[in-house]
């Protein structure tokens, strides 16, 4: 049905200009949400935690400059994003003699949204953000909407008491309906904001928009999400950065929930997935962290990222340690609330960088403690194999340690950690070569050669009768990561319109796969705007060199 009449004259004039851009799209990294709408930026992110606990003490006012100078090497190391520290100034200073800990100024007890803090000045932050974005590394800013430093004078924001802006206990019927908060309190709760209050909600929404527009934010990490409703994160992201990356820090054991709460007897995974469903946000994989801390290596399969359901594993953001759980160079050795034993570090990084989920590498492991070369190697293995957040993973019992096979877009990996597995052929088909052998054999990875098994072949795609308005184009979307996993935002532009309204394009696919796909008409500017889908059944093709496949509107 010719529902779209392209303005012929204009099209002829503009077409040559528009389509070279189409090739750039194919070269660019994936964007877009999961099939359930979770904001994981295409599932191909590899994140560097861009700070440790003590950088405000070991590099006072000089951290943004450090990041700006390192931007090219951070990119060269294979990172696509960097988890930035809280950008807001923080004058707090605290010590806990009993625990032998102290700190302050890190941003988690922030004063207001002024960005001249202990990491450097506002302009240094802008310079760092543009150097990182310029190198292709997206800044992910750490936001703390649950609480702030209520004391201390001359704030740039005015939050008077008694107007429902600060948290009061929702359990106390005396609080008027909105004068409370829908989540846990941070410590005593006297510094907690009622983030559901319209004024507070708008304050954070606008600041997130400001970080996107003026500080190059590619997304956000939400702190202490146990302190406010997950739905609120979905609203903030939907209004301020709908296509950005989003991850929540939900660090709360099942036993910490009240006995009447379903989560008291749920698994760590179920609690994390429930939050992710509400926030439409990825979530740090504390289920995997708990297994790494308390289980044997064979138990690591029970992390969220090992879930047999792709809709579960794809929302996991995996990590080995962070600024809370791990050590940091400098005073007190940082916080080390839940540190992974050093002996397991290489196996843990091998696991998260070769398996599904979105991996995060802790700054100090990469750049302070000599693991950089090893991690760089692992990142290259992940990228070459085309392992993504939703990649299939299979665990193989009958061997000691952990044995898994991961199906990447380009190659299949077999991982053997602390295992007596002899030959990858015992657990997966294909011709394998060893990609990694380290840690006295505790760490081994094999991969199918790109030439066999994961071989890519060029298939000719065609869509007929693609009548479109200016600014819209015809794309192919379908199963498998090369066709965007049915996600229009990751669809592939068919850039040859020499026989308009027929659209053509060659797309590389793994050989010998039966692939289903459809033609769509989609906005070039806004990847989430689909104008129409090809009607009827899916098109299908078995991928082989020179094969052709077509559909029609
Ligand atoms: O124990 C570890 C694990 O062991 C395992 O065996 C357990 C696990 O469950 C168990 O299975 O994990 C437990 O312990 C974790 C660490 O405490 C808990 C976890 O829920 C629990 O299960 O994690 C919580 O604490 C983390 C630090 C948070 C988590 O979200 C939270 O769930 N991490 C993030 C949150 C914050 C705060 O924004 C940051 O905290 C983290 O870096 C960030 O990643 O008005 C003045 C005033 C009063 O308002 C206060 O009531 C008063 O107490 C001042 C005082 N507050 C001070 C704090 O006492 C002091 O500690 C505050 C001003 O400064 C400090 O707070 C620091 C905090 O210590 C630091 O970690 C905060 C603000 O500077 O910044 C950081
Ligand atoms: Ca991406």
């Amino acid at each position: 049905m010719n529902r779209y009449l392209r303005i012929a004259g204009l099209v002829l004039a503009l077409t040559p200009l528009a389509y070279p851009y189409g090739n750039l799209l194919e070269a660019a990294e994936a964007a877009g949400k999961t099939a359930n709408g979770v904001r994981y930026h295409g599932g191909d992110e590899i994140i560097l935690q861009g700070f440790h606990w003590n950088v405000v003490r070991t590099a006072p006012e000089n951290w943004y400059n450090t990041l700006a100078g390192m931007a090219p090497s951070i990119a060269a190391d294979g990172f696509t994003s960097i988890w930035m520290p809280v950008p807001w100034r923080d004058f707090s200073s605290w010590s806990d003699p009993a625990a032998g800990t102290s700190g302050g100024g890190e941003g988690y007890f922030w004063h207001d949204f002024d960005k001249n803090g202990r990491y450097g000045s506002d302009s240094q932050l802008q310079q760092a953000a543009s150097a990182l974005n310029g190198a292709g590394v997206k800044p992910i800013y750490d936001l703390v909407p649950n609480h702030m430093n209520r004391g201390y004078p001359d704030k740039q924001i005015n939050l008077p008491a008694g107007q429902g802006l600060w948290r009061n206990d929702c359990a106390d019927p005396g609080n008027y309906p909105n004068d409370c908060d829908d989540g846990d309190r941070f410590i005593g709760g006297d510094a907690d904001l009622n983030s559901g209050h319209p004024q507070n909600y708008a304050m954070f929404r606008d600041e997130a928009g400001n970080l996107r527009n003026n500080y190059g934010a590619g997304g956000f990490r939400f702190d202490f999400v146990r302190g406010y409703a997950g739905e609120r994160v979905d609203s903030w992201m939907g209004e301020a950065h709908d296509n950005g990356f989003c991850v929540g820090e939900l660090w709360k054991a099942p036993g910490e929930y009240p006995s009447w709460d379903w989560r008291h007897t749920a698994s760590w995974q179920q609690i994390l997935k429930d939050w992710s469903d509400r926030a439409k946000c990825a979530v740090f994989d504390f289920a995997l962290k708990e297994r790494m801390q308390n289980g044997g290596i064979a138990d690591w399969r029970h992390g969220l990222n090992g879930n047999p359901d792709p809709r579960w594993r794809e929302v996991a953001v995996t990590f080995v340690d962070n600024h809370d759980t791990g050590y940091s160079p400098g005073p007190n050795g940082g916080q080390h609330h839940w540190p992974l034993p050093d002996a397991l570090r290489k196996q843990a990084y091998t696991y998260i960088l070769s398996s599904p989920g979105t991996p995060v590498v802790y700054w100090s492991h990469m750049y302070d403690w000599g693991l950089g070369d090893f991690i760089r190697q692992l990142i290259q293995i992940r990228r070459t194999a085309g392992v993504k957040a939703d990649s299939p993973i299979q665990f193989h019992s009958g061997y000691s340690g952990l044995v898994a096979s991961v199906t990447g877009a380009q190659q299949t990996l077999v991982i053997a950690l602390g295992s007596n597995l002899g030959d990858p052929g015992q657990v997966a088909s294909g011709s394998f070569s060893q990609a990694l052998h380290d840690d006295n054999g505790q760490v081994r990875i094999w991969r199918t050669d790109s030439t066999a098994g994961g071989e890519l072949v060029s298939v000719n795609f065609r869509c007929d009768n693609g009548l479109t308005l200016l600014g819209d184009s015809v794309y192919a979307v379908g199963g498998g990561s090369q066709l965007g996993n049915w996600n229009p935002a990751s669809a592939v532009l068919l850039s040859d319109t020499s026989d308009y309204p027929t659209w053509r394009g060659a797309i590389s696919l793994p050989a010998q796969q039966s692939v289903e796909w459809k033609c769509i008409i989609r906005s070039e500017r806004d990847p989430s705007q689909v104008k129409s889908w090809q009607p009827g059944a899916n098109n299908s093709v078995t991928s082989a060199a020179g094969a052709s496949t077509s559909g029609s509107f």
Side-chain angles (χ1 to χ4, degrees), residues 29-32 40-46 80-81 138 245:
E29 50 133 332
Y40 75 156
H41 206 278
D44 62 348
E45 296 304 310
I46 302 175
T80 60
S81 297
K138 296 184 291 293
F245 182 86

Side-chain angles (χ1 to χ4, degrees), residues 16 26 69 83 102 125 129 155 169 226 261 274 329 358 392 402 428 448 453 459 526 547:
E26 283 158 11
W83 165 13
S102 61
L125 174 58
K155 289 188 189 316
D169 194 340
R226 61 190 285 177
D261 186 315
D274 170 69
T358 297
L402 183 142
T448 49
V459 175
D526 178 355

Side-chain angles (χ1 to χ4, degrees), residues 173-332:
N175 294 321
Y176 82 83
N178 298 323
D179 186 12
C180 69
D181 193 8
D182 42 19
D184 292 354
R185 50 169 65 93
F186 176 61
I187 320 262
D190 55 335
D192 278 30
L193 289 161
N194 176 4
S195 41
H197 189 289
Q199 182 187 318
N200 287 340
Y201 173 82
M203 178 174 80
F204 288 113
R205 176 204 58 209
D206 297 347
E207 173 62 4
N210 173 40
L211 287 165
R212 175 189 184 179
N213 297 334
N214 305 313
Y215 295 84
F220 301 106
R221 177 252 190 198
F222 285 88
D223 178 72
F224 200 81
V225 296
R226 61 190 285 177
Y228 43 97
E231 290 80 353
R232 189 146 319 115
V233 174
D234 184 27
S235 306
W236 276 324
M237 287 302 291
E239 290 199 71
H241 208 333
D242 193 36
N243 285 316
F245 182 86
C246 174
V247 58
E249 185 225 11
L250 179 57
W251 186 2
K252 186 170 179 178
E256 293 185 78
Y257 290 89
S259 52
W260 45 263
D261 186 315
W262 67 269
R263 292 169 291 191
H264 185 74
T265 50
S267 70
W268 285 73
Q269 281 197 48
Q270 286 164 329
I271 295 169
L272 294 170
K273 178 70 167 57
D274 170 69
W275 183 85
S276 172
D277 290 345
R278 296 169 185 279
K280 295 286 177 269
C281 201
V283 64
F284 283 112
D285 192 348
F286 275 98
L288 176 58
K289 177 61 174 172
E290 190 279 330
R291 290 289 74 205
M292 285 184 165
Q293 296 295 130
N294 298 332
I297 197 158
D299 299 319
W300 294 6
R301 63 186 297 174
H302 299 302
L304 179 61
N305 81 312
N307 194 292
D309 182 339
R311 298 291 78 80
W312 283 58
R313 60 175 179 263
E314 68 190 2
V315 305
V317 176
T318 53
F319 66 100
V320 171
D321 265 319
N322 61 32
H323 65 293
D324 287 333
T325 64
Y327 286 85
S328 298
N332 307 318

